[in-house]
Amino acid sequence: MVGPVRPQFVLFGSSIVQLSFSNGGWGAILADVYARKADILLRGYYGWNSRRAVEVLDHVFPKDAATQPSLIITYFGGNDSMGPHPSGLGPHVPLNEYIEHMRKIAIHLKSLSDSTRLIFLTCPPVDEDRVSKNTSEFFSHLIRTNELCQKYSEACVKLCLELDVKVVDLFTAFQRRDNWTADCFTDGVHLSAEGSKIVVAEILKVLKEAEWQPSLHWKAMPTEFSEDSPYDLVAADGKTTLNPSEWTFHRAIQWD
């Protein structure tokens, strides 16, 4: 551990999380937005479903940890919602079981501390044509349909409303964008930079609107070592310095 200790934001989920620092991913964007404000910790597991997540909850999020996360953003559902394989193997989880797993995850994460906040991300849609064309010879036939994605997404939203957990409906958010099938994915399932921008915008909207104390929206959080310094760059007047701790002009998108 290095200091000073900052609030911890943990990203927990399957490949949508593990790859969130790749290809201009949403985890990398959040790390930039929250630079000098919070540490973004990645706990993503490629190919996992909610069954495996429940099995490791106590290991990833021990209740007796000295420091608990301020925010946990959780995503499972894309693999659960795949159609079942005749062998019984594979990531498919029946809808009712998926709901109960997500309930267990939410209850466990809520119990970590009174100040730990949660956001769940729902299953996004997929580009069905590209998924079918890109299936590797190493895989058995993969069943990914938007009909299934929608059912699992809607179930996640309903559960979050029941448990008072903030939720981002990615299934709906992606489809608000024109040409979403072409723009939002690298392979029909995993997110491109454009898809990740949608995820970030939706997460920041939740954080801005949430009536949490303290607020976890980046503009409301203190910046580490933000005091003025004579070692900062000298201003044009030659007499004062410019404090760069809040500069954001390097960002292609000025996030709200």
Side-chain angles (χ1 to χ4, degrees):
M1 174 64 71
V2 296
V5 176
R6 299 174 181 174
Q8 295 181 352
F9 292 4
V10 182
L11 314 183
F12 178 50
S14 55
S15 56
I16 295 292
V17 173
Q18 181 175 326
L19 303 180
S20 67
F21 277 73
S22 300
N23 302 309
W26 60 277
I29 297 173
L30 288 176
D32 175 47
V33 171
Y34 280 89
R36 298 174 65 169
K37 294 174 181 288
D39 288 330
I40 310 298
L41 305 181
L42 192 61
R43 295 295 182 269
Y45 305 94
Y46 207 122
W48 278 32
N49 59 16
S50 62
R51 280 180 185 155
R52 296 191 74 177
V54 168
E55 291 175 354
V56 302
L57 271 178
D58 289 316
H59 298 283
V60 180
F61 299 102
K63 291 187 177 183
D64 59 354
T67 302
Q68 295 293 359
S70 296
L71 174 67
I72 303 171
I73 301 176
T74 300
Y75 166 75
F76 290 99
N79 295 319
D80 298 66
S81 64
M82 290 176 62
H85 192 272
S87 68
L89 300 172
H92 170 73
V93 174
L95 183 60
N96 287 340
E97 184 182 344
Y98 165 75
I99 293 169
E100 290 312 305
H101 290 163
M102 298 304 286
R103 184 189 306 276
K104 289 178 182 177
I105 292 170
I107 291 171
H108 180 87
L109 298 182
K110 276 189 164 188
S111 73
L112 296 177
S113 79
D114 291 338
S115 58
T116 296
R117 311 302 184 187
L118 307 182
I119 299 175
F120 277 18
L121 309 179
T122 80
C123 181
V126 297
D127 181 351
E128 293 181 6
D129 289 340
R130 208 174 345 164
V131 169
S132 63
K133 292 176 183 177
N134 289 346
T135 299
S136 167
E137 62 183 284
F138 296 103
F139 296 126
S140 180
H141 180 60
L142 303 179
I143 302 173
R144 289 187 185 270
T145 69
N146 282 318
E147 180 180 2
L148 288 170
C149 289
Q150 183 173 12
K151 288 180 180 179
Y152 282 69
S153 176
E154 290 175 349
C156 184
V157 170
K158 183 178 179 181
L159 177 67
C160 287
L161 292 174
E162 175 190 336
L163 298 179
D164 192 26
V165 170
K166 302 295 184 184
V167 62
V168 171
D169 179 358
L170 292 181
F171 187 85
T172 300
F174 273 47
Q175 293 181 83
R176 294 193 194 105
R177 182 189 176 104
D178 293 337
N179 301 318
W180 64 269
T181 54
D183 294 345
C184 291
F185 306 104
T186 60
D187 57 4
V189 176
H190 300 104
L191 306 185
S192 65
E194 292 304 310
S196 280
K197 289 173 186 175
I198 294 173
V199 178
V200 172
E202 294 295 322
I203 289 172
L204 291 180
K205 181 180 178 182
V206 169
L207 291 170
K208 185 175 183 178
E209 295 177 353
E211 296 179 355
W212 291 336
Q213 296 296 329
S215 173
L216 298 180
H217 186 253
W218 68 279
K219 289 184 178 179
M221 296 178 69
T223 299
E224 189 175 276
F225 299 133
S226 61
E227 62 274 6
D228 293 341
S229 170
Y231 309 128
D232 288 336
L233 296 171
V234 180
D237 62 13
K239 300 177 182 179
T240 59
T241 55
L242 299 172
N243 186 332
S245 61
E246 302 288 350
W247 289 356
T248 63
F249 59 80
H250 67 283
R251 295 175 185 159
I253 297 176
Q254 292 298 308
W255 299 101
D256 190 15

